[in-house]
């Protein structure tokens, strides 16, 4: 059962493909990135099209999505687990104020630190900064990572309970 409960490990910026990908390739990459941490179908073609329509992500260039699109989609995939789309948009604006690469790198680092803390059972909820923006960023990422972790643990506990009943 322990092996079934896996963490999200977002790729480092340099590991995100730096070539244009078509929609089907984007969806496959997202599923591989988030599997098995999130259920299949957490990012669909219609969702990506909607994110473009509401300007959460920029329009693709020649129907191809680049590294920045992919990074934004990964952040959206995590954040939407606990936040409204309106809050996700605000979080992305705060995170990416200095550019998508900077925002994604920070986001991935914070999500990874939270995942490790949860795995070790020592989550620190202190917000560390006086800035309301910094507190909001930390709280939002924490909420999303904790929601994902709780759902994975519940799924693992449910599967473990089914096996115990069968045995």
């Amino acid at each position: 059962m322990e092996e079934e409960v896996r963490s999200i490990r977002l790729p480092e910026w340099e590991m995100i493909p730096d070539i244009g990908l078509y929609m089907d390739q984007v969806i496959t990459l997202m599923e591989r990135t988030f599997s098995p941490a999130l259920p299949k179908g957490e990012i669909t073609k219609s969702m990506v099209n909607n994110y473009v329509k509401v300007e959460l992500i920029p329009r693709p260039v020649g129907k191809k999505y680049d590294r920045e699109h992919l990074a934004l989609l990964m952040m959206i995939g995590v954040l939407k687990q606990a936040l409204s789309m309106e809050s996700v948009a605000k979080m992305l604006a705060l995170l990416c104020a200095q550019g998508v690469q900077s925002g994604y790198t920070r986001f991935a680092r914070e999500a990874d630190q939270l995942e490790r803390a949860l795995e070790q059972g020592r989550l620190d909820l202190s917000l560390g900064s006086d800035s309301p923006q910094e507190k909001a960023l930390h709280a939002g990422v924490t909420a999303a990572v904790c929601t994902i972790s709780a759902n994975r643990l519940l799924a693992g506990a449910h599967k473990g309970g089914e096996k115990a009943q069968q045995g």
Side-chain angles (χ1 to χ4, degrees), residues 16-17 21 26 29-30 66-74:
I16 300 172
L21 299 178
V26 169
L29 177 68
M30 292 297 114
D66 62 21
R67 183 182 278 172
E68 287 192 1
H69 290 103
L70 300 173
L72 288 165
L73 287 170
M74 286 183 220

Side-chain angles (χ1 to χ4, degrees), residues 13-53:
W13 177 261
E14 295 77 22
M15 298 305 294
I16 300 172
D18 193 21
I19 58 172
L21 299 178
Y22 289 107
M23 179 69 80
D24 288 338
Q25 295 169 312
V26 169
I27 300 304
T28 299
L29 177 68
M30 292 297 114
E31 287 177 355
R32 288 183 182 164
T33 299
F34 292 137
S35 180
L38 299 178
K40 190 174 174 117
E42 279 299 309
I43 300 221
T44 65
K45 292 178 185 182
S46 60
M47 287 177 189
V48 173
N49 288 330
N50 189 50
Y51 299 154
V52 170
K53 184 178 173 182

